[in-house]
Every structure is written in C-alpha cells, then in structure tokens.
Amino acid sequence: MAKEMCKPKAIEDITVEDLKAHRWCFYQNDEEGFDAFEHVIPDNHPDFSEHVIELELSEFKFANGKSCFGFYDGSEAFNIIAGDQWYSFWYGIAEPNAEDLARLKSFVVSNNLELPVVVQAKWSGTSKTFSGIQYINPNGETIEKTI
C-alpha cells in the first residue's frame, strides 16, 4: 500500500482522504510524462519538496456552522470535494455563467449550507471568505457573483 501511495497522482483523482493522510506537492517529470499542472506527489515520494507549491487540504466553514473539506491549489483556487464532484469558488479569468452559479447554488442548498463560507488551507494557513464565485474581470478586478 505504501508503495502505491508513492506514485504521482492526477489532480482530478485526489480525494479528501488523500489530502488528510499526506501533504502533496505539484510534480514535473518530463522523462516520465508527468506535468506539474496535472500531477501531484505525496510526502512519502522521494521527490516531495516543501519548497514546491502544494495542493493543500482545506476546510470550508459555513455561516451555519457546517463544514466541508476540499483543496487549495497554492494560488487562488479553493475547491470543495464532494464524492467525485468538485465545486469551485474561484474561476480565475473565466467569468462564471448562469449554469456555473446554479450548480454551486444547488450544492449549497441541497446540503443545507449557508454562505458566506470561510475557508482555510491546512499547511500554509491561507484563508479566504466567499459569498459566491469569484473571478478576475478584463480590468484586473476581482468580482464576486453572489449565489
């Protein structure tokens, strides 16, 4: 089992259990075909480094006291992991459309969660508050579309 955990893992395959069990850093290895935008390695991999940006366990604490877990990508994105689904509060330079907003709202409502949500990354301590989906508009301003 430990040998299996040592292998690089595709980011989309990371689970909350993985994040709770290990620290993870982004991994680049051209010879083996691992792209740092797509793969991470756990702290039991020989190439793990605390000096590389990490994919961190994050806790989302909602206004009504409920919480969920997910990850922080080391830049701006905080994502809730719910089974095989991700729910992002950060869209970068892509403006979220009505479907994106409806999808996140459906998750929040169906799980009886109340916004705003305060999220904190486990290792770096990075923290942010969201009342909806945030993105950067063409003028470089951070905009939040409330749900």
Side-chain angles (χ1 to χ4, degrees):
M1 175 82 173
K3 195 170 196 159
E4 185 68 27
M5 283 302 298
C6 216
K7 293 182 179 179
K9 196 165 190 175
I11 292 169
E12 64 266 13
D13 294 335
I14 291 289
T15 66
V16 169
E17 290 74 26
D18 291 332
L19 293 166
K20 287 180 177 179
H22 295 276
R23 291 177 74 174
W24 295 80
C25 73
F26 289 92
Y27 184 63
Q28 178 82 35
N29 186 321
D30 295 333
E31 292 175 9
E32 295 182 23
F34 294 114
D35 185 324
F37 290 106
E38 300 172 0
H39 294 89
V40 288
I41 53 174
D43 53 13
N44 60 359
H45 188 283
D47 294 333
F48 177 83
S49 172
E50 293 179 359
H51 304 292
V52 175
I53 294 173
E54 292 188 41
L55 189 71
E56 299 183 61
L57 175 68
S58 296
E59 185 173 7
F60 295 75
K61 293 182 180 179
F62 290 86
N64 61 342
K66 292 190 173 196
S67 64
C68 295
F69 289 98
F71 66 87
Y72 170 60
D73 73 355
S75 63
E76 295 287 336
F78 284 95
N79 301 278
I80 290 176
I81 300 174
D84 62 352
Q85 298 290 309
W86 291 4
Y87 298 91
S88 184
F89 286 88
W90 175 256
Y91 272 54
I93 60 169
E95 181 176 353
N97 60 34
E99 185 177 304
D100 298 327
L101 293 166
R103 182 175 178 271
L104 183 57
K105 183 175 183 175
S106 176
F107 173 78
V108 168
V109 170
S110 67
N111 288 283
N112 194 30
L113 305 170
E114 291 179 17
L115 296 173
V117 60
V118 176
V119 60
Q120 183 167 8
K122 181 177 181 177
W123 301 108
S124 67
T126 302
S127 181
K128 201 160 187 182
T129 302
F130 297 95
S131 293
I133 298 174
Q134 295 181 0
Y135 71 101
I136 299 174
N137 71 12
N139 297 326
E141 303 165 315
T142 300
I143 305 296
E144 183 167 69
K145 289 203 171 191
T146 306
I147 59 168

